[in-house]
Amino acid sequence: MRSIEHQDPTMTNQMAGEMAVLEIDSLVRRFGGLAALRQVSFAVNAHEVLGIIGPNGAGKTTLINVIGGIYPPTSGRILFQGRDITELPAHLRCRLGIARTFQIVRPVQGLNLLQNIMVGSLFGRGASLKEARSQSLGICQFMGLSRVDRAIAKLTVLEIKKMEIARALSTQPRILLLDEVMAGLNVDETREMIDLVRQVCAQGVTVCIIEHVMSVIRELTERVIVLDHGEKIAQGPYEEVSRDPRVIGAYLGEEE
Amino acid sequence: MSALPRSRRYQIAVPLALFIVVLAWWHPYAVIEGVQRAGLYAAIALPMALILGIVGIVNLAHGDFLMLGAYLAYWFAVHTQGDPLVAILPAALGLFLLGAVVYRATIKHVIGSSELSQLLLTFGLAIVLQQTATLLWTSQPVSINTEYTSTSATIGSLTFGTYGFVYVAAAVIEFAGLTFFLQRTRLGQAASASGQNPVGARIVGINVDRVYLIVFSISLALAGAVGVLFLTRHAVFPLVGGGLTFKSFCLAAMAGLGNLRGILWCSLILGLAESLVSTSKEYAGWADLIFFVAIVAVILVQSHRRQVT
Amino acid sequence: MAFPLYAGVYLQHTATIILTYLCLALSWDMLVRTGQISFGVAGFFGIGAYSAALTALNLKLDPLLSIAVGGLAAMAAALVLGLTTLQLRGMYFAITTLALTEIFRVIVRNLPGLTGGPEGTVLPSAIFDGDPTKTYWLLLAIALVTIAISEAFQRTRVYFAITSIRHDEMVARSSGLDIFKYAVFVFAVTSAIQGIVGASFAQQYAFVSPEGTFDIDFTLLPIAMCLLGGMHSTLGPIIGALVLGSVAEYLKLQLPYGHLLVYGAVITLVILLMPQGVAGKMKEQFVREQ
Ligand SMILES: Nc1ncnc2c1ncn2[C@@H]1O[C@H](COP(=O)(O)OP(=O)(O)O)[C@@H](O)[C@H]1O
Ligand SMILES: [Mg+2]
């Protein structure tokens, strides 16, 4: 049952230069009458950490779902390493090198901690059971996850959040999409997570991070884009964007 | 089809109308028979679609509750020597109460659990009903003959039974009644709200559990009443319900889950197709495949649509 | 397992029937592990039975070879059906299979030239000339292969695939898993097992008919057995088959009408009272006590 459609390392090496890893072109996604994304365009450059911010309901999660192939866009295009992947099903996008976590964590209940992580390695990378096990153990060590044969019910919030990232990493992604992984963590845990994301990035993985905690965004990202009501209203370095009246307006609007 | 824009609806309605006109000219008997069948199927499918749309459960025992209604009427007709149609109200009432009991005892406990449990539960209920009926009444088919069911009319050289139109009337009345209930009554509006968004409905103070109970009971009451009508023209036996459940689901799936109006149109299409095949001499035996082919086609179309929207 | 050498014919017969149901129950459970329910076991059983009987009769195929053909025919049918319908899983798939047995029955009934129509077809002789001991060994071999496949599904990457599909399709897809491919694969394999079992049943009784071969027993009992023993494992269905299988014949004699009521009640009660099955419940208790 092994598939041949996994990523081709020679091709990705050639292309990983300054060029954009991911290009989003006029993306629109409607749910019935509601437009969750309206004409969103941006690019993610290789090796950067891009922040995606915006008030609740702005369309951030929808954006990740559309990039990940959970549902197709109503219109617009998605290019990954120059290739049009708009029509590609989710599992093939993963094999090309797009990995994501879920805002509401989704551990597979029937599998234990290590097995959950192995799923990414087995199917995202096409590893054998043995390879998947050793690779996933390595990732667990990197993430600081111990006693890996525990059931999901026995894990703490932090451990489950780490599991989400570990499962995504085990697919050996080019780009990692993180959806509010710091939510619900305390200060120390957040600190630890930030360091982990830095290290992931240092290993050559491009990161897009959605976050509500602005200190995290300030610390991690070189550049952010701001969504409001499905529209991209600003982009640039966080310090700059946070002074933009439209952005301030969007967040003030949320508090009303 | 609920999501179809008006223009798309014409794209379906116009060819359908043309098809019926051509068919009526070429094979009028098949059209009359098909419309009557369509009425019966719609009348049976509507209550199942009601549960599916609001409670969100596929009731695999739907046809078997109908069978129960039919046996009630049979028992009534045999014991009182009366008209089985008189049993419509008692059957509806009896099944309403049975529905409340069945909901409380079983369905309630799988609301919110996996689809797999729900399917297995109602499948188990279906078997229990079928086999209880077999124990009580044996597997022999029973039927009732009344004079009015053989009334016929003649137009030109064409003679056809008119009683079958009672099913068309039943379907239309049922549809109108359910639409009125869902749109105009407080309870019905609460039911619609619970169907669309149970969490939200709970927040605004709707007792969702009670709504589900009433909707489930109403559905069974309607199934029981239609069962009585069914008996007046068809033989009834313990396993008669299984096929009807399947056909009802096909119609509900084809119409789009929860879309009651669509069921009328879809049953018209499938009723005509089935009667066309079954009135032909060579292929009559294959008529039972029509609904199966339809559901496979629906699945193909929907899975394609899911990929592109 | 060598007991049939000493046991009477009746015991051998009962053991063969239990093994038949054991294979069906286990194959049904293997598909359930992907989150899909099939109500069409009797349909694939019947396809296997008819294919074996007809190839043995018309092409003079060796009985054992015809059983393999039965498995292949059921697998081909499952592939066609799976490739068209498994894109929409859950209730759509389940209900499509609900009609399957009836559909195959209609087809068989309407091709009298090929299948013998409503009366069915009689083979000149049963497999192994009706020797019950050899028949028992045949079913035992099929059951062991089925158990081996089931265990393979629990120990290889297939386990990771089907478990994550069952629990969370979105995670499975996002982790690079081709759900459709695995669903079709498991459906084809389990249907092939059901076809082989049906084929050996036909060879054993040297007779196939629309009513007797596409019998709802072959759908209902395996489901009840799995629920009773506990789903999602190899052991559960085996326990369920041993328990229910040994009372099945007795029940049939005691309650010729309505013996199936027991299985319907088992399914309903297990879902309501202990969804993890009796064996699962005991295991849970055991874990808790530790
Ligand atoms: N599957 C869906 N069906 C219908 N509406 C959805 C769905 N997913 C998201 N939405 C709607 O799209 C909008 C954007 O949601 P989301 O992307 O989750 O926002 P964010 O992650 O920025 O908080 C919200 O109004 C939400 O209700
Ligand atoms: Mg979100």
Side-chain angles (χ1 to χ4, degrees):
Chain A
M1 296 294 290
R2 289 182 62 172
S3 175
I4 41 156
E5 292 157 291
H6 298 278
Q7 66 188 65
D8 176 358
T10 55
M11 187 187 86
T12 45
N13 283 345
Q14 279 170 13
M15 302 179 92
E18 298 77 48
M19 76 173 284
V21 178
L22 187 69
E23 283 168 88
I24 304 300
D25 182 14
S26 328
L27 215 53
V28 176
R29 172 69 212 192
R30 263 193 275 278
F31 293 110
L34 178 110
L37 293 175
R38 317 170 188 221
Q39 302 286 341
V40 175
S41 301
F42 64 94
V44 188
N45 301 321
H47 307 303
E48 81 168 325
V49 181
L50 176 74
I52 300 173
I53 60 174
N56 269 326
K60 306 180 295 290
T61 300
T62 305
L63 180 62
I64 288 205
N65 281 337
V66 173
I67 296 173
I70 295 299
Y71 27 70
T74 308
S75 65
R77 284 195 320 157
I78 307 165
L79 301 179
F80 180 67
Q81 295 181 324
R83 173 178 170 187
D84 190 335
I85 60 162
T86 319
E87 305 275 307
L88 220 54
H91 66 275
L92 294 183
R93 296 189 197 197
C94 170
R95 289 180 198 172
L96 278 180
I98 301 176
R100 53 91 50 98
T101 65
F102 293 90
Q103 177 177 359
I104 298 163
V105 289
R106 302 179 83 113
V108 176
Q109 293 293 343
L111 301 174
N112 68 27
L113 174 55
L114 180 67
Q115 288 172 332
N116 259 282
I117 297 168
M118 283 168 67
V119 170
S121 186
L122 285 168
F123 304 104
R125 218 168 61 88
S128 70
L129 267 184
K130 217 171 132 206
E131 288 163 2
R133 171 173 291 274
S134 67
Q135 190 211 359
S136 301
L137 278 172
I139 293 173
C140 282
Q141 199 165 27
F142 164 71
M143 300 288 302
L145 286 167
S146 56
R147 289 183 291 142
V148 295
D149 51 1
R150 275 176 299 164
I152 294 302
K154 300 257 155 65
L155 303 180
T156 64
V157 177
L158 177 66
E159 283 172 323
I160 294 184
K161 294 245 168 188
K162 283 183 175 175
M163 186 281 291
E164 284 269 331
I165 300 180
R167 182 171 58 202
L169 284 179
S170 74
T171 65
Q172 283 196 339
R174 290 274 125 197
I175 186 167
L176 178 62
L177 313 169
L178 299 173
D179 196 350
E180 301 206 18
V181 284
M182 316 281 179
L185 302 185
N186 65 30
V187 179
D188 293 339
E189 291 167 345
T190 306
R191 190 69 267 143
E192 193 185 338
M193 264 317 193
I194 290 177
D195 288 340
L196 280 173
V197 174
R198 281 234 175 82
Q199 288 175 51
V200 168
C201 197
Q203 287 170 9
V205 180
T206 308
V207 177
C208 278
I209 182 165
I210 295 179
E211 207 42 82
H212 258 317
V213 189
M214 287 308 152
S215 60
V216 174
I217 292 288
R218 189 184 306 129
E219 201 165 330
L220 272 175
T221 66
E222 292 115 61
R223 203 162 65 93
V224 298
I225 65 166
V226 189
L227 290 183
D228 183 33
H229 291 300
E231 228 174 322
K232 189 179 87 172
I233 55 169
Q235 78 175 356
Y238 175 75
E239 302 300 338
E240 220 167 87
V241 160
S242 62
R243 286 192 295 270
D244 186 323
R246 275 191 81 182
V247 176
I248 295 167
Y251 275 93
L252 285 179
E254 190 191 21
E255 274 153 35
E256 272 172 8
Chain B
M1 248 174 249
S2 56
L4 283 188
R6 227 151 249 287
S7 59
R8 284 284 302 280
R9 262 186 234 166
Y10 289 120
Q11 283 177 19
I12 293 172
V14 171
L16 180 65
L18 274 177
F19 173 69
I20 295 173
V21 169
V22 171
L23 195 65
W25 179 71
W26 176 61
H27 200 338
Y29 183 75
V31 172
I32 291 169
E33 165 74 16
V35 170
Q36 296 181 349
R37 264 173 204 253
L40 177 64
Y41 291 147
I44 297 175
L46 281 168
M48 187 200 210
L50 180 72
I51 298 188
L52 197 55
I54 289 171
V55 188
I57 279 188
V58 186
N59 182 11
L60 292 182
H62 179 70
D64 307 298
F65 285 111
L66 179 142
M67 173 270 297
L68 225 51
Y71 267 106
L72 270 175
Y74 177 75
W75 180 83
F76 177 84
V78 168
H79 280 262
T80 64
Q81 302 292 321
D83 188 326
L85 285 179
V86 178
I88 283 193
L89 275 182
L93 190 67
L95 272 135
F96 186 91
L97 297 176
L98 180 67
V101 173
V102 168
Y103 179 83
R104 271 278 149 78
T106 64
I107 305 291
K108 181 180 158 77
H109 304 285
V110 294
I111 302 262
S113 61
S114 70
E115 198 173 72
L116 192 127
S117 310
Q118 296 171 348
L119 285 167
L120 284 173
L121 175 74
T122 58
F123 176 72
L125 286 177
I127 301 292
V128 168
L129 289 174
Q130 289 168 10
Q131 297 304 320
T132 309
T134 311
L135 264 180
L136 292 176
W137 303 303
T138 77
S139 54
Q140 286 304 314
V142 298
S143 54
I144 294 278
N145 277 318
T146 46
E147 268 169 29
Y148 51 79
T149 53
S150 49
T151 50
S152 64
T154 305
I155 301 176
S157 61
L158 179 73
T159 302
F160 54 89
T162 47
Y163 179 72
F165 286 111
V166 80
Y167 296 119
V168 180
V172 171
I173 292 171
E174 222 178 292
F175 171 71
L178 284 176
T179 310
F180 179 82
F181 168 69
L182 291 174
Q183 290 174 359
R184 296 293 155 80
T185 65
R186 278 187 72 87
L187 181 64
Q189 286 164 350
S192 304
S194 310
Q196 275 155 19
N197 183 353
V199 180
R202 237 170 241 127
I203 291 171
V204 299
I206 295 173
N207 184 343
V208 173
D209 183 52
R210 212 185 54 140
V211 166
Y212 284 175
L213 178 133
I214 293 172
V215 165
F216 191 81
S217 302
I218 289 177
S219 168
L220 291 209
L222 289 174
V226 177
V228 178
L229 284 180
F230 185 80
L231 172 75
T232 55
R233 220 185 156 205
H234 300 262
V236 169
F237 48 98
L239 300 186
V240 76
L244 298 176
T245 304
F246 174 70
K247 289 182 174 178
S248 300
F249 180 81
C250 289
L251 291 172
M254 197 171 163
L257 302 185
N259 176 7
L260 299 185
R261 185 188 298 269
I263 286 185
L264 297 182
W265 297 117
C266 294
S267 52
L268 188 58
I269 296 171
L270 293 189
L272 284 171
E274 212 186 64
S275 96
L276 191 61
V277 176
S278 66
T279 51
S280 76
K281 280 196 195 69
E282 311 94 282
Y283 304 111
W286 297 100
D288 285 330
L289 293 189
I290 296 280
F291 276 77
F292 188 76
V293 172
I295 187 83
V296 171
V298 166
I299 289 176
L300 281 174
V301 170
Q302 289 212 1
S303 56
H304 177 72
R305 201 186 287 166
R306 201 166 287 190
Q307 271 156 22
V308 295
T309 51
Chain C
M1 277 196 257
F3 86 91
L5 298 178
Y6 314 105
V9 171
Y10 178 75
L11 259 184
Q12 274 178 0
H13 176 70
T14 310
T16 308
I17 289 178
I18 291 178
L19 288 173
T20 301
Y21 281 119
L22 188 151
C23 296
L24 296 180
L26 208 45
S27 67
W28 184 80
D29 186 71
M30 283 184 234
L31 186 65
V32 166
R33 291 176 211 164
T34 68
Q36 309 308 311
I37 305 187
S38 166
F39 294 116
V41 178
F44 293 107
F45 179 94
I47 290 191
Y50 263 94
S51 309
L54 296 180
T55 49
L57 194 66
N58 299 332
L59 306 178
K60 305 277 174 282
L61 229 52
D62 177 72
L64 284 176
L65 204 59
S66 80
I67 289 176
V69 170
L72 285 178
M75 181 150 106
L79 275 177
V80 171
L81 193 76
L83 288 172
T84 45
T85 60
L86 272 168
Q87 290 279 11
L88 273 198
R89 292 167 289 274
M91 66 177 159
Y92 289 90
F93 174 75
I95 290 167
T96 308
T97 62
L98 193 64
L100 212 54
T101 310
E102 186 59 32
I103 294 303
F104 291 145
R105 198 185 283 156
V106 167
I107 294 174
V108 163
R109 225 186 265 135
N110 282 294
L111 296 172
L114 183 65
T115 62
E119 278 77 47
T121 295
V122 181
L123 295 181
S125 76
I127 193 169
F128 308 128
D129 294 320
D131 180 342
T133 311
K134 285 185 181 158
T135 314
Y136 169 80
W137 288 117
L138 173 66
L139 261 297
L140 185 64
I142 296 173
L144 288 177
V145 172
T146 306
I147 291 171
I149 296 174
S150 168
E151 275 304 288
F153 276 21
Q154 293 293 84
R155 285 159 201 267
T156 59
R157 60 196 292 114
V158 177
Y159 174 73
F160 290 80
I162 59 185
T163 309
S164 31
I165 295 172
R166 178 172 84 241
H167 283 279
D168 198 328
E169 291 202 354
M170 213 202 279
V171 165
R173 288 204 284 153
S174 299
S175 305
L177 208 159
D178 189 345
I179 297 180
F180 181 62
K181 186 178 85 173
Y182 272 95
V184 172
F185 168 72
V186 175
F187 186 46
V189 170
T190 55
S191 302
I193 294 171
Q194 290 153 13
I196 287 175
V197 174
S200 40
F201 192 81
Q203 285 290 357
Q204 207 176 317
Y205 291 90
F207 176 59
V208 283
S209 73
E211 310 307 322
T213 306
F214 293 99
D215 192 335
I216 188 175
D217 286 32
F218 300 121
T219 296
L220 191 52
L221 264 74
I223 297 179
M225 288 166 175
C226 287
L227 284 173
L228 193 71
M231 294 184 284
H232 314 320
S233 71
T234 303
L235 197 59
I238 293 180
I239 293 174
L242 290 178
V243 173
L244 275 191
S246 38
V247 297
E249 289 294 283
Y250 176 77
L251 269 178
K252 214 172 190 167
L253 286 176
Q254 292 298 310
L255 286 174
Y257 291 104
H259 66 282
L260 297 176
L261 179 60
V262 176
Y263 308 113
V266 165
I267 293 174
T268 311
L269 291 177
V270 170
I271 289 288
L272 288 176
L273 302 179
M274 39 187 174
Q276 66 280 67
V278 174
K281 183 102 180 167
M282 272 155 41
K283 195 167 124 196
E284 191 184 76
Q285 214 94 48
F286 181 70
V287 171
R288 206 178 289 150
E289 276 161 23
Q290 275 191 333

